Structures are given as structure tokens and as C-alpha cells.
Amino acid sequence: MSILLYVEHDGTDVNEATLKAATAASQLASYLDNAEIHALVAGQNSQAVAEQAAKISGVSRVIHVDNAAYAHPLAENLTQLTKGLMDNYSALVAAATTTAKNFMPCVAALLDVMQISEIIKVNSANGFERPIYAGNAIQTLESSDDKLIITVRTTAFKTATLDGSASITAQDSAVNTASSTFVSAQLSSSDRPELASAKIVISGGRGMGSGENFALIEKVADKLGAAIGASRAAVDAGYVPNDYQVGQTGKVVAPDLYIAVGISGAIQHLAGMKDSKIIVAINKDEDAPIFQVADYGLVEDLFTALPELEQKL
Amino acid sequence: MKILVPVKRVVDYNVKVRLKADGSGVDTANVKMSMNPFDEIAVEEALRIKEAGNAEEVIAVSIGVQQCQETLRTALAMGADRAILVKTDAAIEPLAVAKILAKITADVGADLVILGKQAIDDDSNQTGQMLAALLGRPQGTFASELNLADGKIAVTREVDGGLETLSLSLPAVVTADLRLNEPRYASLPNIMKAKRKPMEQLAAEDYGVDLTPRHNVILVSEPAAREAGVKVANVAELVAKLKSVGAI
């Protein structure tokens, strides 16, 4: 049977995370007699998204459900919609974003199966690897469930190309449970690259001392075209908003270059960045654990190092 | 209103875990165990709702080995009114946990269930959502703020793009994110008092839920280690190194 890929979007564009999940779906399909991959686009006025999804490599059909019930990705409505479609599919795959993490386990529960959370590798038709204990251990498992509900750790898979040409099937199966309603959103807007997909990330920790001091990081980020992240300590202290958090329970990133500034390197933070290609740590405490994972460590006060770095770039 | 707070006993968040040599799992013998940090936040939030006069009773529940009663005593010492230990020695997955919790939620008549958003051992992030689905109740996951009014609960959620606020009709299920509150420490008198609070003991088998794991764990292994890096003397050397490897 086929695989259903949940397409995350902002009403205009397919989220890059979905393109990573598409690669995982393709790998799974190769173990399932090259099962077809269908992409589910649920939204309101989301024709542009459906057209983009039709180009995702490996996708043979887009199921497009355009209805006000899906204007916001409410878990209750998405769950009912997806569960209804799963009669025809043997697997549901989505990137492990906050949207998918919200509704995918609901679908699993209603289908009476366990979700397979944040896979980093596909080993067989029912075999996967996933990190546990903040990435300090890797679990290799086989699912005995007849349907697979899978979220994908996006840093572990390549981005699928957009060279396909799938057919688009419009479906109107609106479910509005109305038990939860959207009230408001405060989304960060920034001209910088998105944290989850940026090639370079520079993050600040408690050592930054204040939100104002993040200006030092911003200047370096501007020079490098980097996204800005933070440790939990910096977010908890109110220096930067929650969506900056990199770590076990925040965003997991694996850029080509990760620069950790004033971050001690708690295991919860390392969980979110240790798969980066090159890690740089700047910290005045030479015993900070961050240096154990850093390719290049600079023991220096960040308040002298950052301005100098900006100047030398 | 009654609030149910499920709590999980996990390896303490400060412990660097060691794996068993045979690859069967994480070595938990003689390792410090604590309440899952997200569950502590859930307990705290339930207590604050009660202290604000919006709930009559906070009930903590834990499913697992006998020692989970220590975790429950922590919840009682923080201020929960009573506790339920559902005992099992088996490794139990989120789906089975959610099924048992669904029955307990109905048994105790809880209008609100607050859970931690994920356990820091298996990092599944499933139980709260599964519970909401099984109960057919609305959910507010990854909550950083709760406001109860007029039979509804406004939940501000931490999402990838920032924050989002939903309004849920009660009864509902909420999962706690890091910034919902800062959990209190139990005072010594409250720790003593907790010893006399009621703790019901039941067996997981009593709930008629199939506890057989759906995931067959074949191996638990070390992640690929990073090779040790080098220290650079100054910013100039750092920039030179990064340029030489083409990183900038």
C-alpha cells in the first residue's frame, strides 16, 4: 500500500522540513515494493501549496483539501481528516515540526498503533533508528503495527528536489470538531534565514548576559548570513523568544557551521546541534563541556571576541 | 474541577547515561532517578490552578515499577492531594500508558489532565496527544501559558514560528512546555506531610489494556562520536581555520 506524506506549509509555500520528510518517505517506499507516495495538503486558499507539493520528487499524487477548517493546523481537525484517509495507506510520514508532533500521535492512537518519533534512519519496511535520551543513545527498532505513523528528524535526511509532476486531486472532506479554536499567533519575523534550515547558525547562551547584548551576535550573523539561535538558559532568561531555542526540546539543527557563544554545553543543548558539520565554541571557561564537541574552540571573553570576529569577517 | 497529573520516573536530567554492554538499553542500575522535568512543571501548574480557586483536587498518577511511588511522593510533597500508583514491571509504551490514563481520567472524573510534553528518556512526545485523542477531548500541547475562564481554557503554545494561542472547551488535555512555570521545591514540612497523604496502589493488568510493546527494540547503541577538535589562540586564527576548510 501507499505512503501518505503530510505537507506542512504557511498557506503559500511548502515548508522545507516537508522536503526532508519526503526523502525519508522515498526511502521507506523503496522497501515497500516502491509504494506510491501521496502528499496531503490541507489548508485554506492553498492552491499554490498544492501546486508546489506536486513537484516534490517521488510524490505521485497530491490530495488537496481546501477548507476553512484547515486555515490553522488544529490537531483535532487534522487528526480526523488524516485518520479518515489512512484506510488507503500503510504509512503516514511527516517532518517532526511542532505541527506534526501535535497531531500525529492522535492519529496513531485512533488507529491503535504506536508512533515512531523522530526517525533518523530507515532500515527496512518496518525498521528504523531514532535518538533517545537527548541523542545520547540511538534506538534501533522494528514496529509490529500494521500501519506506520512516522515523524522525521529533518536534520538526518536530504532535501527532496522539486522536479516532479504529480497529479492534484481535490477532496472536500471537511471536519470541524470546533472543540478547539484558534485565537491568535505571535510569530517572529526576521529577514535572516530560518533557524531549522540555515547553512550557518550562531547561538548565544547565558553568557550573553542580556537581550541587548545579542546585538553583538546579530552583527556577526549579518556578516555571515547566519540564523540566530540560543540555549535554553538564554530563552528562559528572556534574552530572546522561545523559537530561538536549540536543544532536546527546542529546534534540532545541523548546519554546515554552528557557532556557540557563551554556551556551556549542557547535554540538552548538545542534543540540538551536535550533528552540525563544523562546531565553533567561544567561551571564557576553558572547562565548558561545549569544547568537547567543538572542532574549533576559542577560550576568550565573548565581549572581546565577538566584535573582533565581526571585524575580521 | 479535578486535575489529573501523570508523572514519570526517569533518569535524572543531569545524569550522563551509560549503555548496557549487550546493547539492550540504558543502564539504570544505581543511577539517580527523578520526576521527568516536564511533569514537575505540569504538577506545578495544576497546583497553581487549584490555589487560584479553579480546582478542588489535584491527583498525581504514575505507571511503572514500585519505586514510582517516590516520584508520586515528590508530587504529593509539592502539594498534590492524593496519588495513584499503577504498578507494572514491564516496559510500557506511550500508547498503553495513554489507554490506562484514559480509564483513570474517567474513573476519577478529571476535567483537566496536565502532562509534561515529553519524557526525557524515550523522547517520544506522544502520551498527552494520544490521551486527548482516546478521550475525544481537545488538546493544548507545548503550553507556555494557561488561562481558565467560563468553562474554557486559553492555551498559549510554543510553536516553531513563535507562540500561538488556542481556546479549548473543557474537559481538555494540556501538555506543559519548559516556560509554563518554575516548579516549587517541596519544603521539609511538606515532605513529611506527603508521607501521610493517600496513595492508592493498583496493577496495570487491572485495566484490561494490552501492554505488549509494539516496538521491538533490537539495539540501543552509542551515537557516532565527534572527533576531538582543536583550541585556537585567537579570533584571527579561528577565522583563518574556518576559511581554510571553506566554512566561511
Side-chain angles (χ1 to χ4, degrees), chain B residues 8-51:
Chain B
K8 185 175 185 182
R9 179 176 184 264
V10 298
V11 172
D12 187 85
Y13 76 102
N14 273 319
V15 171
K16 173 104 175 67
V17 294
R18 281 171 294 120
L19 306 187
K20 290 184 192 163
D22 64 359
S24 65
V26 167
D27 191 355
T28 54
N30 303 314
V31 171
K32 186 184 178 200
M33 305 293 282
S34 302
M35 187 189 298
N36 179 42
F38 290 95
D39 301 350
E40 273 190 318
I41 296 170
V43 172
E44 175 66 34
E45 196 64 19
L47 296 175
R48 289 186 189 191
I49 291 170
K50 186 188 165 190
E51 286 159 3

Side-chain angles (χ1 to χ4, degrees), chain A residues 15-34:
Chain A
N15 190 317
E16 193 178 333
T18 296
L19 303 180
K20 312 271 191 162
T23 300
S26 290
Q27 291 180 10
L28 178 61
S30 71
Y31 291 106
L32 297 171
D33 294 331
N34 288 307

Side-chain angles (χ1 to χ4, degrees), chain B residues 94-189:
Chain B
L95 179 64
V97 171
K99 287 178 182 177
I100 294 174
L101 290 177
K103 297 199 173 197
I104 295 175
T105 304
D107 287 351
V108 305
D111 281 325
L112 184 59
V113 185
I114 310 180
L115 312 84
K117 78 163 181 179
Q118 91 189 49
I120 60 164
D121 50 6
D122 61 17
D123 284 334
S124 284
N125 193 337
Q126 300 185 30
T127 306
Q129 295 90 318
M130 288 183 151
L131 176 64
L134 294 174
L135 291 169
R137 294 183 178 182
Q139 69 186 36
T141 55
F142 324 146
S144 66
E145 196 184 335
L146 300 184
N147 285 298
L148 277 149
D150 308 324
K152 287 187 180 283
I153 183 164
V155 182
T156 300
R157 310 178 52 232
E158 296 204 356
V159 294
D160 286 338
L163 297 171
E164 160 188 286
T165 304
L166 303 179
S167 171
L168 314 180
S169 49
L170 287 167
V173 174
V174 167
T175 75
D177 214 318
L178 289 169
R179 281 165 284 275
L180 184 56
N181 59 53
E182 246 182 76
R184 68 194 68 185
Y185 290 101
S187 66
L188 190 58

Side-chain angles (χ1 to χ4, degrees), chain A residues 102 112 130 184 245 274, chain B residues 99 141 165 179 214 226:
Chain A
N102 191 30
D112 194 27
R130 55 179 297 265
S184 63
Q245 187 177 325
K274 69 187 169 68
Chain B
K99 287 178 182 177
T141 55
T165 304
R179 281 165 284 275
R214 308 296 184 81
R226 287 191 79 91

Side-chain angles (χ1 to χ4, degrees), chain A:
Chain A
M1 270 211 281
S2 312
I3 297 169
L4 187 63
L5 171 72
Y6 172 75
V7 177
E8 177 148 354
H9 61 87
D10 59 3
T12 322
D13 290 304
V14 172
N15 190 317
E16 193 178 333
T18 296
L19 303 180
K20 312 271 191 162
T23 300
S26 290
Q27 291 180 10
L28 178 61
S30 71
Y31 291 106
L32 297 171
D33 294 331
N34 288 307
E36 287 190 18
I37 300 170
H38 297 174
L40 170 64
V41 174
Q44 188 182 24
N45 301 327
S46 50
Q47 185 61 28
V49 179
E51 283 163 18
Q52 255 187 50
K55 296 193 179 116
I56 300 174
S57 171
V59 171
S60 63
R61 196 209 293 184
V62 173
I63 297 171
H64 185 208
V65 186
D66 203 85
N67 192 288
Y70 310 112
H72 297 284
L74 294 171
E76 295 75 21
N77 297 352
L78 280 179
T79 299
Q80 293 304 326
L81 171 68
T82 318
K83 193 216 156 209
L85 292 169
M86 283 307 290
D87 285 346
N88 301 318
Y89 297 93
S90 57
L92 173 64
V93 177
T97 60
T98 47
T99 302
K101 289 193 240 185
N102 191 30
F103 85 92
M104 294 279 281
C106 301
V107 181
L110 295 182
L111 294 172
D112 194 27
V113 303
M114 267 287 290
Q115 174 179 282
I116 307 161
S117 302
E118 308 227 8
I119 61 160
I120 54 170
K121 202 164 170 236
V122 182
N123 286 335
S124 68
N126 66 342
F128 306 92
E129 291 178 25
R130 55 179 297 265
I132 55 174
Y133 286 90
N136 286 299
I138 306 297
Q139 185 185 62
T140 303
L141 67 93
E142 276 178 7
S143 169
S144 60
D145 284 318
D146 55 351
K147 288 191 193 289
L148 302 175
I149 307 294
I150 298 167
T151 64
V152 176
R153 173 69 63 95
T154 53
T155 53
F157 294 89
K158 289 201 168 72
T159 307
T161 50
L162 288 171
D163 50 8
S165 55
S167 60
I168 300 177
T169 310
Q171 254 189 40
D172 196 18
S173 42
V175 185
N176 200 338
T177 62
S179 57
S180 76
T181 49
F182 175 81
V183 179
S184 63
Q186 292 169 259
L187 303 181
S188 304
S189 64
S190 161
D191 295 333
R192 292 202 173 79
E194 217 185 310
L195 180 54
S197 54
K199 296 271 179 277
I200 302 179
V201 172
I202 176 164
S203 291
R206 197 198 308 271
M208 295 306 298
S210 74
E212 290 74 52
N213 290 338
F214 261 76
L216 297 170
I217 285 198
E218 285 167 15
K219 286 179 187 159
V220 177
D222 287 342
K223 283 265 176 94
L224 291 169
I228 297 179
S231 69
R232 177 192 170 182
V235 178
D236 282 358
Y239 301 169
V240 287
N242 65 285
D243 49 296
Y244 281 47
Q245 187 177 325
V246 171
Q248 180 183 16
T249 68
K251 290 201 173 73
V252 178
V253 301
D256 293 340
L257 174 61
Y258 187 91
I259 306 175
V261 184
I263 291 176
S264 64
I267 51 177
Q268 290 80 8
H269 184 75
L270 301 185
M273 44 64 79
K274 69 187 169 68
D275 292 328
S276 305
K277 227 174 254 167
I278 294 174
I279 297 174
V280 170
I282 302 174
N283 201 306
K284 65 181 173 189
D285 172 12
E286 63 178 319
D287 296 323
I290 190 78
F291 287 119
Q292 291 163 18
V293 300
D295 299 282
Y296 304 109
L298 175 61
V299 181
E300 194 174 320
D301 190 307
L302 66 92
F303 294 103
T304 53
L306 280 177
E308 199 186 337
L309 181 59
E310 183 212 342
Q311 190 204 337
K312 289 205 159 55
L313 286 170

